Amino acid sequence: MPVRRKAASQWGVALCQSGKMAAAPLLELESLEKTLGLRGRSKLEHGQSGSTVPVLQTNNGPSLVGLTTIASHLVKVAKKEALLGSTAEKSAIVHQWLEYRITQIDRCNSQEDARMVLKELNCYLEDKVYLAGNSLTLADIMVYNGLHHIVAELTHEEREKYMNVSRWFNHIQHYPGVRQHSAAVIFMKNRLYPTVH
């Protein structure tokens, strides 16, 4: 998996301040609960005042904090551990992509940041159907959700430029139960515009 060497402090805080992603983590986790068949069993809320970081109040212990931490916990509660990777290596790859979601995708503050993420993913997905292994994992679900607003805003020509990402994204959005709260992104099958070289 490619890793950009950009310091976190250089990303800025525009994403959190824009409000665009403010409610998204809770909505995304509620959607994941439905996908996993848990339908609203957990107590999800935002962290400290003004924070967009989700918190899960558990019945048997301390609160869990953070999008991917809670998502991984929900998968285990649903007894669908295969979504976390069927081997130690695949599990590590799933966790790499969960980290990538938080450290790279969620911190895209500009079109240039988004293009860099799409370029990296496009290269990685060249010979892959899924991010980690040969079946759907939590990595696919979480990266799909993180990319949804980016891919939805691309023109058809831009989607074609990132054809491996588009192929993967379209496959994941049509996987049963994955696209709960997001509108479908339409991918054209025929070119209606000339190719520019």
Side-chain angles (χ1 to χ4, degrees):
M1 176 177 67
V3 176
R4 281 183 279 150
R5 306 280 184 226
K6 195 167 188 179
S9 63
Q10 293 175 329
W11 289 103
V13 292
L15 186 64
C16 293
Q17 293 175 345
S18 70
K20 187 173 192 175
M21 299 292 288
L26 289 184
L27 183 61
E28 184 175 348
L29 289 168
E30 289 167 359
S31 173
L32 180 62
E33 284 182 308
K34 290 176 186 172
T35 299
L36 297 171
L38 297 174
R39 304 219 186 272
R41 292 173 44 191
S42 58
K43 301 169 193 156
L44 291 166
E45 56 188 47
H46 286 293
Q48 299 173 357
S49 61
S51 173
T52 60
V53 176
V55 175
L56 174 64
Q57 300 297 326
T58 62
N59 294 330
N60 304 342
S63 299
L64 300 176
V65 179
L67 180 65
T68 60
T69 300
I70 295 170
S72 295
H73 172 75
L74 293 174
V75 167
K76 290 177 184 176
V77 168
K79 298 187 184 333
K80 296 191 178 185
E81 287 88 356
L83 289 173
L84 297 174
S86 56
T87 66
E89 182 180 344
K90 287 181 182 166
S91 180
I93 294 169
V94 168
H95 284 88
Q96 268 183 240
W97 283 107
L98 295 178
E99 188 172 329
Y100 186 86
R101 157 67 196 271
I102 299 301
T103 62
Q104 304 299 319
I105 297 170
D106 287 357
R107 292 186 177 167
C108 287
N109 288 326
S110 67
Q111 287 182 345
E112 183 56 37
D113 291 341
R115 279 192 295 270
M116 185 63 113
V117 164
L118 290 170
K119 184 178 175 184
E120 290 172 351
L121 280 169
N122 199 58
C123 199
Y124 180 81
L125 289 165
E126 185 173 7
D127 61 348
K128 294 172 183 60
V129 176
Y130 299 100
L131 291 172
N134 297 319
S135 61
L136 181 80
T137 64
L138 184 59
D140 294 294
I141 297 168
M142 299 300 286
V143 170
Y144 162 81
N145 285 328
L147 284 177
H148 190 277
H149 71 283
I150 294 171
V151 173
E153 293 175 3
L154 295 174
T155 65
H156 291 294
E157 192 171 29
E158 289 171 321
R159 289 183 197 142
E160 192 167 292
K161 178 180 177 184
Y162 303 109
M163 71 178 178
N164 298 322
V165 172
S166 295
R167 172 189 42 78
W168 168 83
F169 186 94
N170 196 38
H171 176 66
I172 301 303
Q173 81 173 345
H174 287 99
Y175 201 94
V178 171
R179 186 180 45 85
Q180 295 280 337
H181 67 280
S182 303
V185 175
I186 306 300
F187 291 87
M188 297 181 74
K189 299 194 188 256
N190 299 323
R191 288 187 178 176
L192 298 177
Y193 49 84
T195 303
V196 179
H197 294 287

